[in-house]
Amino acid sequence: NAGVMQNPRHLVRRRGQEARLRCSPMKGHSHVYWYRQLPEEGLKFMVYLQKENIIDESGMPKERFSAEFPKEGPSILRIQQVVRGDSAAYFCATQRQNTEAFFGQGTRLTVV
Amino acid sequence: GESVGLHLPTLSVQEGDNSIINCAYSNSASDYFIWYKQESGKGPQFIIDIRSNMDKRQGQRVTVLLNKTVKHLSLQIAATQPGDSAVYFCAENANFGNEKLTFGTGTRLTIIP
């Protein structure tokens, strides 16, 4: 049973470009959480999705950031018009209802 | 807002000794607590968890203690090994399996050979 898969592992974007980060849940997991981590800091919650629905987006910046978890395919975190401050590690975690969450290895976004 | 914080940012322990990592939380509604280990360049790895109806839980070489009175959580690692060197995070939520986790800042544990 494969773990949570995130790709790409590393992503470099120029300021103003778009970044797309993908998260493929473990088999049977219908809940996806996205977190952001700055160097030497803890993980900060961004958004919680279940299939085709956003459950909690209280941690998402109001502009430029969006997330989806379609019926088929991976969850996507999309950052439009990236700025240097978006540089961070982005992790997703997935779970079945009422079970523990498992994290992926993250995508490290660098904006140059 | 509510937050989870750690007392010590760094901890160095001699190989073979026991280590204790502490965590304070402020949300009195927190019901579920987890310790994660994060090695450089990797995602958080589940170590052990505990629900609020317990005050102690043991795993292999690890023990989590929960003191709800003072809102304090600790992770004890017995007989530390070089592979235990990592950053350790506590995290919590109030609705296991259906809610975001709130993470602490982390403690960097270094095992001295």
Side-chain angles (χ1 to χ4, degrees), chain B residues 83-94:
Chain B
D84 294 330
S85 293
V87 177
Y88 290 81
F89 294 97
C90 64
E92 56 83 20
N93 68 19

Side-chain angles (χ1 to χ4, degrees), chain A residues 32-38 42-49 54-67 77-79 85-86 88-91, chain B residues 2 99-103:
Chain A
V32 173
Y33 303 80
W34 285 94
Y35 294 84
R36 176 163 64 179
Q37 185 179 34
L38 296 173
L43 281 74
K44 303 295 185 187
F45 168 75
M46 299 181 74
V47 62
Y48 166 29
L49 310 101
I54 295 175
I55 306 303
D56 180 357
E57 56 182 348
S58 58
M60 285 281 270
K62 299 300 180 193
E63 297 179 348
R64 302 189 297 109
F65 285 72
S66 63
L77 179 67
R78 182 183 178 201
I79 311 172
D86 296 332
Y90 293 83
F91 291 95
Chain B
E2 302 286 6
E99 188 179 282
K100 67 185 181 187
L101 289 167
T102 299
F103 279 80

Side-chain angles (χ1 to χ4, degrees), chain A:
Chain A
N1 185 13
V4 179
M5 304 300 292
Q6 287 190 250
N7 69 82
R9 290 295 308 278
H10 299 275
L11 182 61
V12 179
R13 285 288 178 265
R14 296 188 183 278
R15 281 180 295 171
Q17 290 185 320
E18 177 179 288
R20 282 185 176 239
L21 288 62
R22 296 174 186 78
C23 172
S24 296
M26 291 176 67
K27 185 178 181 180
H29 287 197
S30 59
H31 298 205
V32 173
Y33 303 80
W34 285 94
Y35 294 84
R36 176 163 64 179
Q37 185 179 34
L38 296 173
E40 302 297 307
E41 293 189 10
L43 281 74
K44 303 295 185 187
F45 168 75
M46 299 181 74
V47 62
Y48 166 29
L49 310 101
Q50 295 179 17
K51 280 291 186 181
E52 300 184 276
N53 293 305
I54 295 175
I55 306 303
D56 180 357
E57 56 182 348
S58 58
M60 285 281 270
K62 299 300 180 193
E63 297 179 348
R64 302 189 297 109
F65 285 72
S66 63
E68 63 178 13
F69 187 20
K71 187 176 181 180
E72 301 292 338
S75 176
I76 305 290
L77 179 67
R78 182 183 178 201
I79 311 172
Q80 295 178 291
Q81 300 176 328
V82 295
V83 301
R84 290 227 169 101
D86 296 332
S87 295
Y90 293 83
F91 291 95
C92 74
T94 77
Q95 68 184 153
R96 300 175 195 267
Q97 189 164 350
N98 296 327
T99 65
E100 69 190 70
F102 291 87
F103 281 83
Q105 296 301 317
T107 293
R108 278 143 190 89
L109 173 65
T110 302
V111 180
V112 296

